[in-house]
Amino acid sequence: RLRSRLAATVSSDTSDEFVVAVLGDLHLDPRKMEDYHAGRDHITRILKEAEDGGASSAVVSLGDLGESKSVRPDETSELFAGTTECHELASEFLSSFGPPYEVIGGNHDLEGIDEFSTDEANLEAFLRIHGKPTPQFSRLVAEKTLVVGLGSTV
């Protein structure tokens, strides 16, 4: 049953060639997005080249999406990591790579303690904003190649 469900997610023209961009500990800071965009532009060229050559591609974030301190220290001491604003910025940024992205939560991704009263509420926002049904994922990226993401966020 799992095999048939996974097979359905890969098109019939899938080859055994693939490229996976693995992004760890982005710690996005809205004050420094030009730096993140420069890095993204380098990676998107590689992804496009692979896709143009017939390979499949994927983007995987290993969490720690936002800066784990205030990004507006003159206005607030609220941590940026784990906030709705943080996850919206991360979702927009990760979506801009092209291929649908996968994400697992890192140890800083539920730090929205000034915004959310519980970790459960913070996790619900994380999942909703990133459009994910669970905090883990599995994705078939090529024939006989399954990428699995497991995190400490449960």
Side-chain angles (χ1 to χ4, degrees):
R1 182 172 156 113
L2 176 61
R3 177 175 284 183
S4 64
R5 187 167 52 104
L6 291 174
T9 65
V10 177
S11 65
S12 59
D13 61 350
T14 300
S15 74
D16 60 353
E17 297 181 18
F18 62 92
V19 173
V20 178
V22 179
L23 310 174
D25 293 66
L26 291 172
H27 289 279
L28 292 171
D29 184 329
R31 301 168 295 180
K32 301 175 183 176
M33 290 308 293
E34 64 279 354
D35 295 335
Y36 297 102
H37 291 153
R40 180 210 50 215
D41 293 347
H42 174 72
I43 293 169
T44 55
R45 283 192 297 273
I46 295 167
L47 294 171
K48 176 146 179 32
E49 184 178 306
E51 290 171 359
D52 289 349
S56 64
S57 63
V59 174
V60 175
S61 173
L62 302 180
D64 287 356
L65 300 172
E67 182 58 68
S68 54
K69 60 185 174 204
S70 176
V71 297
R72 291 184 297 281
D74 294 338
E75 299 172 29
T76 180
S77 61
E78 177 185 34
L79 300 176
F80 183 66
T83 62
T84 296
E85 181 185 4
C86 169
H87 289 301
E88 288 172 345
L89 178 67
S91 176
E92 180 182 322
F93 178 71
L94 292 167
S95 295
S96 73
F97 281 81
Y101 71 90
E102 301 295 348
V103 61
I104 57 172
N107 62 312
H108 294 289
D109 292 320
L110 298 183
E111 287 187 345
I113 57 177
D114 295 319
E115 179 179 354
F116 300 101
S117 59
T118 65
D119 284 346
E120 290 80 12
N122 205 164
L123 178 59
E124 185 280 323
F126 171 90
L127 295 173
R128 177 179 42 77
I129 293 166
H130 293 286
K132 305 300 176 187
T134 68
Q136 10 340 295
F137 71 88
S138 65
R139 174 137 164 236
L140 196 59
V141 294
E143 188 175 329
K144 300 181 183 179
T145 308
L146 181 67
V147 176
V148 177
L150 303 172
S152 59
T153 304
V154 293

